Amino acid sequence: MKALMSLIKEAFFPMTCAACGEVTKDGEPLCDYCREMLKPINPIKRCILCGCEKPDCECKYRVFRFDGLIAPFENKDTAKLGVYSFKFGKRMSNADYFAEQMAFCVKNEYRDIGFDAVTFVPMHRSRFLKRGFNQSRVLAEKIAVVLGLPIADTLVCLKNGKRQHDLFGKERLGNVKGRYKAKAGVKGKMLLLVDDIKTTGATLDECAKQLYLSGADGVYCVTALISVRDKNNAGKKQ
Ligand SMILES: [Zn+2]
Ligand SMILES: [Zn+2]
């Protein structure tokens, strides 16, 4: 009966690839082509504090207030396509795949950390009304299910500001100042902070700062994508 139900489900709601949107075979989350193209970041090669590959480690010239940052994929090619079509194109089914990969990173690289809850970067109300969902919250809720942890709504976004996406490095730092505030109830908590993309890390850094000011015990970040320095266009925004 169960097999029949899944056959019917597949016939009417075929699984589509989390990157390109093609129908996949056997209910797989990715098509063969995208599976081939999608290369997860090798955790051995990254700095677990800033999330960058060791030669590009940003900790040399910046102090981050979060305790760590990891991500399954770089912000380019197939993975970028998959996350962007979820975030901007509302392909909600893509979130399952990326949340699963993020949870896998957490289990692997943060295995020694006893998290109390999963939390997320909040979205300003006006943007939420426009988009209809907060992509970071959607990912966080799915990750919490995989990890068997509660979800905690710990932060508020006080001002909308410009989209981080449209700004360059230094502007991004200024743009997030005073933007977030932590709610009560984070005191003594070890938190897993979820966002969709780490670019400069300014947003996650500001959120971590606010959580610490409210007494959090630890703030470790996980994002679906991490922007890397383009070796051919060093210094240019990606
Ligand atoms: Zn595909
Ligand atoms: Zn680093």
Side-chain angles (χ1 to χ4, degrees):
M1 189 62 192
K2 222 174 169 189
L4 180 67
M5 288 301 283
S6 76
L7 268 178
I8 292 169
K9 198 176 151 212
E10 215 166 282
F12 286 99
F13 307 100
M15 189 81 170
T16 53
C17 174
C20 70
E22 287 284 321
V23 172
T24 63
K25 48 180 192 205
D26 308 325
E28 288 288 321
L30 292 169
C31 73
D32 290 345
Y33 177 77
C34 292
R35 182 181 306 284
E36 194 60 35
M37 296 302 291
L38 206 63
K39 298 258 184 303
I41 299 170
N42 181 352
I44 309 277
K45 288 190 181 163
R46 80 163 123 234
C47 164
I48 201 167
L49 189 56
C50 65
C52 299
E53 281 201 358
K54 281 169 187 163
D56 302 327
C57 168
E58 294 172 346
C59 305
K60 293 188 278 268
Y61 50 89
R62 272 192 71 187
V63 178
F64 290 108
R65 278 158 295 188
F66 45 75
D67 297 289
L69 191 148
I70 53 174
F73 303 109
E74 289 183 357
N75 185 13
K76 59 181 192 181
D77 309 329
T78 314
K80 180 175 180 173
L81 192 70
V83 173
Y84 277 50
S85 60
F86 154 55
K87 182 175 177 177
F88 300 113
K90 294 196 168 97
R91 286 219 335 153
M92 304 308 283
S93 57
N94 286 17
D96 292 329
Y97 175 75
F98 287 98
E100 222 166 75
Q101 297 301 311
M102 291 161 83
F104 179 75
C105 281
V106 172
K107 277 188 194 168
N108 184 24
E109 292 171 79
Y110 290 157
R111 61 180 168 270
D112 299 327
I113 300 153
F115 289 110
D116 293 304
V118 181
T119 192
F120 51 89
V121 171
M123 183 181 264
H124 192 266
R125 204 179 124 75
S126 64
R127 189 164 298 155
F128 179 82
L129 290 174
K130 239 185 190 168
R131 186 171 294 165
F133 65 98
N134 173 357
Q135 69 279 354
S136 303
R137 182 179 191 139
V138 173
L139 290 169
E141 281 172 352
K142 291 176 189 293
I143 291 167
V145 171
V146 178
L147 298 177
L149 288 168
I151 184 102
D153 186 358
T154 60
L155 292 153
V156 266
C157 183
L158 300 170
K159 54 175 188 175
N160 208 355
K162 289 184 181 140
R163 291 195 330 162
Q164 286 294 88
H165 197 76
D166 300 329
L167 301 172
F168 287 88
K170 280 223 170 81
E171 292 174 304
R172 290 187 179 216
L173 298 179
N175 192 39
V176 295
K177 241 181 153 196
R179 190 163 173 182
Y180 303 100
K181 198 170 172 21
K183 297 179 184 175
V186 300
K187 205 167 186 251
K189 293 272 187 326
M190 186 63 85
L191 298 166
L192 178 67
L193 177 60
V194 175
D195 203 3
D196 53 349
I197 304 162
K198 181 234 174 186
T199 317
T200 62
T203 299
L204 289 162
D205 188 57
E206 186 63 24
C207 288
K209 176 186 165 189
Q210 296 305 323
L211 291 168
Y212 269 119
L213 283 173
S214 292
D217 231 20
V219 182
Y220 289 81
C221 308
V222 63
T223 60
L225 306 176
I226 182 165
S227 291
V228 285
R229 201 162 52 98
D230 185 346
K231 275 109 190 160
N232 302 317
N233 285 301
K236 249 178 101 178
K237 192 178 80 159
Q238 287 178 58

